[in-house]
Amino acid sequence: DKMRISLNLINPERKILWYDYHEDIRSTIMARISEIDPLIAMEYHQRKEKLYNFSNLIGDTENVRGQGLRFSKAKIYFSSPDEKFIKTLIQGIMRDQIFELVNPRDKKSLRLAIGGVKFERGISYSDNVTIKTLSPIISIKLEGNRQKYLTPVREPDEWRASIIYGIRNKFKTMYGREPEKLDLDLNQGDFRLKYVHIKGRGYMASEGTLRIKADPLTLQFISDTGLGEKPRYGFGFMIDQYV
């Protein structure tokens, strides 16, 4: 399993990272991939199913209320079922180990240094594994011309069905067939709602733990692609509960 990596990020000036940083991480990553292989970047830009995912920033972060997160060191995970995507990403990162993110609101920049890249194991296989969110899950249902945000807190049955449908659909796109085995149980009381932004638009998302039953290939696929909507913007990244 070489489809999941983590980047160690160092913030030498301890500047504040704004809350809605996911889109800026995504565009920086795609720019790095484009520098190495423009065709991969173009293919991922045009493809309907963009099969990669990344996590929230994980680390000893201090919430500076109303401004963002302050930290010295942190980690971020990336995953994809496409080995070429991950290898090209590593090449792009190693070529220049400084990340410059620009706050879309005030145009101030934040320079982060890459302190190392590490291959990580994905979700371990077992008949009934408990996984937790490392970035919130977004679930959307179309109702006519409007979008309804589903959450496991308010609409547990609809939310569960939507998540399973999303996995099946992406899996079929990748492998041309349905997963052999797939079911999930949610601990409704364990989930909490979180309001997130993508490109200035708000979405209702949720964080918590799930028990998932799946065959090894399907579980690997979930590990690589995440759950729910907008995984390419860094949402729905999952990890073993006990990692």
Side-chain angles (χ1 to χ4, degrees):
D1 170 28
K2 298 292 186 194
M3 303 300 177
R4 173 174 286 201
I5 59 169
S6 63
L7 308 185
N8 287 320
L9 300 176
I10 300 162
N11 183 0
E13 299 170 306
R14 295 197 81 237
K15 282 187 178 177
I16 294 169
L17 176 65
W18 45 98
Y19 293 117
D20 309 332
Y21 58 84
H22 293 78
E23 165 59 12
D24 305 294
I25 295 276
R26 188 194 75 87
S27 57
T28 302
I29 286 301
M30 294 312 292
R32 288 297 172 86
I33 285 173
S34 184
E35 286 166 14
I36 302 294
D37 193 331
L39 289 177
I40 288 185
M42 191 182 298
E43 183 189 337
Y44 267 81
H45 184 68
Q46 292 171 347
R47 199 188 272 182
K48 183 175 180 286
E49 292 286 2
K50 297 171 172 68
L51 298 179
Y52 66 90
N53 191 205
F54 60 96
S55 73
N56 279 354
L57 205 69
I58 313 299
D60 191 12
T61 57
E62 174 198 348
N63 183 4
V64 182
R65 192 166 293 281
Q67 296 180 61
L69 306 169
R70 197 195 301 278
F71 66 96
S72 296
K73 292 180 181 177
K75 183 156 86 167
I76 194 163
Y77 290 86
F78 284 86
S79 63
S80 173
D82 183 347
E83 192 172 353
K84 195 173 180 187
F85 181 90
I86 291 291
K87 285 182 173 174
T88 309
L89 171 56
I90 292 169
Q91 283 179 267
I93 289 161
M94 298 314 286
R95 179 188 275 188
D96 178 3
Q97 291 173 267
I98 299 293
F99 260 30
E100 186 155 6
L101 304 178
V102 179
N103 187 332
R105 290 196 180 90
D106 60 16
K107 306 303 177 195
K108 288 182 180 173
S109 66
L110 172 67
R111 286 166 67 83
L112 300 175
I114 308 292
V117 181
K118 183 183 170 192
F119 280 110
E120 301 278 358
R121 69 180 181 84
I123 297 167
S124 332
Y125 179 70
S126 77
D127 289 337
N128 192 348
V129 64
T130 301
I131 57 176
K132 66 179 178 182
T133 50
L134 274 196
S135 59
I137 299 169
I138 298 171
S139 178
I140 300 169
K141 179 186 179 185
L142 287 175
E143 290 189 338
N145 290 329
R146 60 183 285 272
Q147 293 182 332
K148 177 184 177 183
Y149 298 108
L150 302 175
T151 72
V153 178
R154 297 173 184 161
E155 306 91 1
D157 294 336
E158 271 190 287
W159 185 87
R160 179 183 166 279
S162 169
I163 296 298
I164 289 175
Y165 174 79
I167 298 165
R168 286 186 184 282
N169 213 25
K170 284 184 198 167
F171 189 92
K172 201 168 180 182
T173 301
M174 182 90 178
Y175 295 109
R177 62 177 176 83
E178 294 273 328
E180 285 174 28
K181 181 171 78 170
L182 176 61
D183 197 11
L184 59 87
D185 298 314
L186 64 114
N187 180 356
Q188 200 177 343
D190 180 48
F191 270 87
R192 59 205 171 274
L193 299 184
K194 179 141 191 189
Y195 196 64
V196 300
H197 286 83
I198 301 172
K199 294 185 170 179
R201 180 178 171 183
Y203 294 81
M204 186 55 73
S206 50
E207 297 177 317
T209 60
L210 290 163
R211 286 181 304 283
I212 197 150
K213 303 179 191 86
D215 61 278
L217 183 61
T218 304
L219 200 59
Q220 177 66 51
F221 186 73
I222 291 165
S223 178
D224 291 338
T225 59
L227 296 180
E229 312 278 343
K230 312 291 183 186
R232 74 183 188 275
Y233 290 101
F235 293 98
F237 192 97
M238 309 302 293
I239 197 167
D240 284 6
Q241 183 181 24
Y242 299 110
V243 168

